[in-house]
C-alpha cells in the first residue's frame, strides 16, 4: 500500500490503525477467484413463509454447516433469505437447491436463482 500510494510505511500503518480504531476496518481476508478452482458462485433468493423461530434456527444451522454455502442473509421487508453458494457444477447446484427445498418445504414458498456467468 505504501508503494502504491507513495506514502511511508509509518503513515500507512498509522492510517490503518486509525481506521481500525474508529470501526471502519474490523477484519482482513483474502478474496479468491473461485472459477480458477473449478467452482462457480450462485445466489439463491428464498422466499419464506410461516417461519417460526425453531424452523429459522434449523435453516440457519443448515446454512452455517453446509460446505457449499458461503453466506446467508435474512432481508428486511418480505421474508427473503439470500444465500451465496459455491459449487463445482450446475448439477451440484441443482442438487443443493433440491436438498434445501426438501428439508424446508414447509417454510419456503418459492425461490429464484442467479447463476454466475463470468467473474470480473
Amino acid at each position: 500500500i505504501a508503494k502504491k500510494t507513495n506514502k511511508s510505511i509509518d503513515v500507512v500503518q498509522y492510517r490503518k490503525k486509525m481506521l481500525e480504531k474508529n470501526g471502519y476496518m474490523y477484519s482482513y481476508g483474502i478474496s479468491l477467484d473461485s472459477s480458477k478452482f473449478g467452482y462457480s458462485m450462485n445466489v439463491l433468493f428464498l422466499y419464506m413463509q410461516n417461519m417460526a423461530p425453531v424452523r429459522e434456527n434449523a435453516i440457519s444451522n443448515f446454512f452455517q454447516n453446509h460446505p457449499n454455502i458461503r453466506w446467508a442473509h435474512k432481508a428486511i421487508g418480505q421474508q427473503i433469505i439470500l444465500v451465496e453458494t459455491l459449487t463445482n457444477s450446475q448439477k451440484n447446484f441443482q442438487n443443493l437447491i433440491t436438498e434445501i427445498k426438501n428439508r424446508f418445504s414447509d417454510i419456503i414458498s418459492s425461490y429464484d436463482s442467479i447463476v454466475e456467468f463470468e467473474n470480473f
Side-chain angles (χ1 to χ4, degrees):
I1 294 173
K3 187 184 250 184
K4 290 216 178 234
T5 60
N6 291 324
K7 304 288 182 197
S8 73
I9 290 174
D10 291 335
V11 167
V12 171
Q13 287 177 336
Y14 172 78
R15 291 181 180 174
K16 183 181 89 120
K17 284 181 184 178
M18 292 306 292
L19 289 168
E20 291 168 344
K21 180 181 175 184
N22 292 314
Y24 292 99
M25 294 173 63
Y26 55 87
S27 70
Y28 301 90
I30 59 172
S31 181
L32 299 173
D33 182 351
S34 55
S35 66
K36 303 269 191 221
F37 297 98
Y39 285 82
S40 65
M41 189 273 297
N42 305 293
V43 177
L44 287 173
F45 295 83
L46 301 176
Y47 300 94
M48 312 306 287
Q49 64 184 8
N50 306 321
M51 193 164 52
V54 170
R55 292 301 281 152
E56 185 173 349
N57 286 339
I59 199 167
S60 176
N61 287 333
F62 175 83
F63 294 148
Q64 290 174 24
N65 294 306
H66 198 286
N68 294 104
I69 295 178
R70 292 188 59 197
W71 53 254
H73 297 280
K74 185 177 172 184
I76 294 177
Q78 292 182 349
Q79 289 191 4
I80 298 175
I81 297 177
L82 305 172
V83 182
E84 184 178 280
T85 68
L86 276 177
T87 55
N88 59 359
S89 71
Q90 288 307 304
K91 180 175 171 51
N92 286 340
F93 179 56
Q94 282 299 313
N95 289 342
L96 176 58
I97 292 172
T98 301
E99 181 180 4
I100 292 170
K101 286 179 8 184
N102 288 342
R103 282 186 181 217
F104 303 103
S105 62
D106 59 319
I107 57 173
I108 297 174
S109 61
S110 64
Y111 74 94
D112 287 318
S113 64
I114 297 175
V115 177
E116 177 185 61
F117 173 69
E118 188 173 355
N119 190 350
F120 293 109

